Amino acid sequence: MASSPFQFSTPVLTLLLSSPSLRKSPCLPFHPSLFSPPLTQKTLTFSTGTRAVSGSGKSPGLPFRPSLFSPPLTQKTLTFSTGTRAVSGSGKFCWRAKASMSGTTMEKGKGKVEVIDSKENLSVSLAKYTADLAAKFSKEKGSFTVVLSGGSLIKSLRKLVEPPYVDAIDWSTWHVFWVDERVVPKDHDDSNYKLAFDGFLSKVQILPGNVYAINDALSAEGAADDYETCLKHLVKSNVLSVSTATGFPKFDLMLLGMGPDGHVASLFPGHPLVKENEKWVTFIKDSPKPPPERITFTFPVINSSAHIALVICGAGKAGAVHSALGNSQNSDPLPVQMVSPEGDLVWFLDKDAASKL
């Protein structure tokens, strides 16, 4: 059984024997039927040293209290990535366990937050999430519109180009877009297109005509206008749908990264473009991060998406993650805090990015 991402601060059995208040605590029933697949008669030793014995039909209980954990759990809803659900609030907890735990999911007001123990397992989870949505939308409407970003995202998608996904996905239904792009030639090292082509697109069978890169022969302003025109044409041809709530294009899945400063796409903290609410695609010539000239989707387009995955790895981004998901109140929200889709939002965090939560 893999270790839980939470570690008990003191031996649990000692607490059980010495503390009357803990003996009265709500308990975690241990029974083979709680596990998938069902466990046979075994003794499980948790990473904390706790022993739970099954087999007699009687279910010993493990008290579940925030003080057992280091650091102590705060008021949150926790859903382990295996499907286990633990709800905390008034001091009462409900926890159903399964046998393998590679990460933790917290239900937040800002969406579902998955904290995954390694970049490798994050890539596995992201591949399944993406493949499941691709299958769903391809079955429902014959196409799947997905938006990529730059940075480390493409590396996180690496499991999609490996079995079983690379052979099982119907790549012919995919239509690929970019949430932002640097205004550089497509073969330039700063190009998001080149990053995606080298690490992803060249390894799968997406139709070339379904990959919508910018016109790199144009200026930043011209490239933004051209990309918006392209999107409007795809709406008219029913490749893209439109949000009935906003009138902006509605992509099936938007895969976003985040910078250490909390920026998403090319929408940077304090920049006027974060407030753009009319254009679908706009441009920037003074990006705080090089190269300075870029095009980017606006927040109305980003937030009209059916599904958004925020994929964030590394300790260098832990501060921005904490600002976005912690209890701190920011008078001037980070761009990542402005991501609020019509549909579902899932944060995929590795343990380093979540280290300050």
Side-chain angles (χ1 to χ4, degrees):
M1 178 172 179
S3 297
S4 166
F6 297 106
Q7 297 298 318
F8 287 98
S9 56
T10 52
V12 177
L13 290 181
T14 301
L15 285 171
L16 291 178
L17 294 173
S18 63
S19 174
S21 62
L22 280 178
R23 285 196 293 266
K24 297 177 182 179
S25 298
C27 288
L28 164 65
F30 183 86
H31 194 275
S33 62
L34 294 174
F35 290 76
S36 179
L39 296 180
T40 55
Q41 186 167 353
K42 291 180 180 179
T43 297
L44 296 180
T45 302
F46 292 87
S47 61
T48 58
T50 309
R51 290 171 65 84
V53 184
S54 67
S56 64
K58 297 181 181 180
S59 300
L62 170 63
F64 185 81
R65 289 284 296 271
S67 59
L68 294 178
F69 290 81
S70 178
L73 295 182
T74 54
Q75 189 166 8
K76 291 178 180 177
T77 298
L78 302 177
T79 306
F80 289 91
S81 61
T82 55
T84 309
R85 189 170 178 81
V87 183
S88 66
S90 61
K92 297 180 179 179
F93 290 80
C94 175
W95 188 9
R96 292 177 302 165
K98 289 187 180 180
S100 174
M101 297 178 186
S102 63
T104 306
T105 301
M106 296 175 280
E107 299 286 350
K108 289 273 192 179
K110 294 286 290 185
K112 184 167 71 170
V113 182
E114 296 209 9
V115 180
I116 301 170
D117 60 2
S118 67
K119 291 180 176 64
E120 181 73 6
N121 285 337
L122 185 148
S123 182
V124 170
S125 295
L126 184 62
K128 183 180 187 307
Y129 171 82
T130 304
D132 286 349
L133 286 177
K136 171 183 179 291
F137 284 106
S138 296
K139 182 178 180 180
E140 290 175 358
K141 60 189 184 71
S143 65
F144 178 54
T145 57
V146 59
V147 180
L148 305 178
S149 56
S152 61
L153 172 75
I154 300 303
K155 196 171 186 180
S156 296
L157 290 175
R158 62 188 179 274
K159 292 298 179 181
L160 280 177
V161 303
E162 299 176 6
Y165 300 111
V166 68
D167 300 315
I169 290 173
D170 183 0
W171 298 104
S172 68
T173 67
W174 283 49
H175 294 258
V176 178
F177 304 82
W178 277 265
V179 70
D180 71 326
E181 179 59 285
R182 293 85 178 272
V183 184
V184 296
K186 291 184 181 66
D187 59 356
H188 194 283
D189 286 343
D190 286 334
S191 168
N192 284 342
Y193 170 84
K194 182 180 189 301
L195 181 68
F197 182 83
D198 291 347
F200 177 52
L201 297 174
S202 62
K203 304 175 188 297
V204 295
Q205 301 299 313
I206 298 174
L207 301 175
N210 290 356
V211 177
Y212 305 92
I214 72 166
N215 185 341
D216 58 5
L218 301 175
S219 66
E221 184 175 6
D225 290 342
D226 181 73
Y227 210 75
E228 181 166 327
T229 299
C230 171
L231 298 184
K232 289 180 176 177
H233 172 74
L234 293 171
V235 167
K236 290 180 179 178
S237 60
N238 294 318
V239 172
L240 281 177
S241 58
V242 171
S243 165
T244 56
T246 67
F248 287 91
K250 188 180 187 73
F251 293 92
D252 298 329
L253 173 62
M254 199 165 289
L255 295 163
L256 300 180
M258 183 198 74
D261 60 353
H263 83 266
V264 293
S266 285
L267 299 166
F268 293 90
H271 197 281
L273 287 185
V274 300
K275 298 180 180 178
E276 172 61 53
N277 59 12
E278 293 183 0
K279 293 182 178 180
W280 294 11
V281 185
T282 190
F283 67 97
I284 182 173
K285 289 189 174 182
D286 58 349
S287 167
K289 180 181 177 182
E293 296 195 355
R294 301 158 176 246
I295 73 166
T296 182
F297 284 1
T298 59
F299 272 120
V301 172
I302 291 171
N303 288 335
S304 293
S305 300
H307 298 268
I308 293 180
L310 273 164
V311 184
I312 305 171
C313 297
K317 300 178 181 181
V321 169
H322 178 261
S323 294
L325 294 175
N327 296 324
S328 58
Q329 298 294 324
N330 297 329
S331 56
D332 191 13
L334 297 174
V336 71
Q337 293 174 274
M338 300 171 68
V339 176
S340 182
E342 290 183 12
D344 296 327
L345 172 61
V346 181
W347 299 64
F348 288 88
L349 308 177
D350 75 347
K351 62 182 180 181
D352 292 333
S355 60
K356 294 186 178 180
L357 290 179

